[in-house]
Amino acid sequence: MSIIYSKSSGLNNGAIGKLETPIKMVIEHESDLLTKQGGVRDWLFNVEKSSRFGETILGGNEFDVFSAVLEGDRAENDSVQETYKKFIEHIQFMKEFSITAQMMEDANYGVASDAKRRAENFTRAYYKTQHKICEFVLANACNASAVGFGTKLDLTGPDGLPLFSTDHTYGVNGGIQSNKFYAEFGDTTTDLEQLLGKVTSKIRNMKDENGEVLGYTADTIILPGNRPVLEIMMKKVCGSDGALGNGYNDINLHYGNWNIIILPTWQADSDVFMVMSSEANKNLCGNMFYNRIPLTVTHWVDNHTGNYIWNGRCRFGVGFGTYKHILLVQDGTSSDLGTAL
């Protein structure tokens, strides 16, 4: 359960008493249903609880491999150095809804239909906010920041650059690597099949803070919600057991290896997609969502109107602890779009 329900004191109105428990049950029941359904937040982000003002993600170089030593000699001393730090601050969100005095008076034998609908939509709005903000930060992550949901959101990785950039740094010696690419997508599924092979290689060859290849396997494709031809072609490539576009009965190396996720609110101007390794996302603290304060619902009676007011408040933080788990590819030939694939 991710809702805290706070009962107001000193309520003597009989109609309010008849509404209080049913609406509480509606809100909490809706919360249970929506939690089970999941969404973009749960599919693409690491969801964790927080008890602090914000959360700091620290990165460091790894221990090197063991070295052989002669009998009686001491082991080589190795150490870990901090190489990056990312702070994700929690943001407060609030919303209210009201039930009029007249509606309460007419609901003596159960929750009025409109009151029930408002309670359900109130809970849906809470989860919708979380999923939509996760979509928003990914869709706008070629920028260092973006204004949305009434606030300015930080879209940078730990190196201070946008999540998708051609100049990401790694290691104590300041190595450079890109997770923002461009290529000509082509017009056939064969072209797209080969493009996915190149993209998979780029994820696999991302380097850690020691300059070593990480070796993660890409398994998630993220598409905008307004590119239907690209979506159809991508589903054909990933969902066909045989290679498309030839009569030689070749196997399709992409079959069964991908999850395809559509971001409806990502409205792209041209063909573009993201590729992510879910294992790297988890292990490297990639897309992070921190729940600081869950939806906390309180209610009271407005003395001026007699209306019953419900207030919801929550705090959470969203951001990126690394860039090495995900990349973006845009269709085109201009170097302004990124690094050539």
Side-chain angles (χ1 to χ4, degrees), residues 15 31 54 83 186 239 335-336:
S31 173
T83 56
S335 59
D336 294 336

Side-chain angles (χ1 to χ4, degrees), residues 101-270:
Q102 182 175 341
M103 186 184 300
M104 289 188 290
E105 292 164 358
D106 294 339
N108 290 330
Y109 299 100
V111 181
S113 59
D114 190 48
K116 180 179 180 181
R117 187 160 52 247
R118 290 187 192 185
E120 291 174 342
N121 290 340
F122 191 65
T123 311
R124 289 181 181 275
Y126 167 63
Y127 285 100
K128 183 168 66 176
T129 301
Q130 294 188 350
H131 294 311
K132 281 186 174 291
I133 203 170
C134 289
E135 288 188 38
F136 182 84
V137 296
L138 283 175
N140 291 277
C142 288
N143 306 298
S145 63
V147 176
F149 302 87
T151 188
K152 185 177 180 180
L153 296 164
D154 178 11
L155 308 182
T156 61
D159 57 2
L161 297 174
L163 173 66
F164 300 114
S165 173
T166 59
D167 301 311
H168 282 302
T169 59
Y170 66 90
V172 293
N173 296 321
I176 301 294
Q177 58 187 345
S178 174
N179 71 339
K180 183 182 179 185
F181 299 92
Y182 71 89
E184 291 187 83
F185 285 12
D187 300 321
T188 69
T189 52
T190 301
D191 295 330
L192 195 57
E193 184 179 357
Q194 294 175 353
L195 179 61
L196 278 178
K198 294 180 181 179
V199 170
T200 303
S201 176
K202 290 296 182 181
I203 285 283
R204 183 169 58 244
N205 287 286
M206 278 285 178
K207 294 180 180 179
D208 67 10
E209 296 302 299
N210 286 348
E212 300 285 344
V213 172
L214 283 163
Y216 285 107
T217 299
D219 59 4
T220 304
I221 297 171
I222 305 166
L223 296 172
N226 66 331
R227 312 303 296 181
V229 175
L230 176 62
E231 180 181 339
I232 290 169
M233 291 177 62
M234 196 70 77
K235 289 178 177 179
K236 285 183 177 180
V237 170
C238 299
S240 303
D241 55 1
L244 297 165
N246 67 65
Y248 304 111
N249 293 323
D250 291 346
I251 64 172
N252 178 11
L253 298 178
H254 296 293
Y255 176 66
N257 294 334
W258 295 98
N259 296 312
I260 297 178
I261 296 176
I262 312 297
L263 302 186
T265 59
W266 182 18
Q267 300 291 297
D269 296 328
S270 60

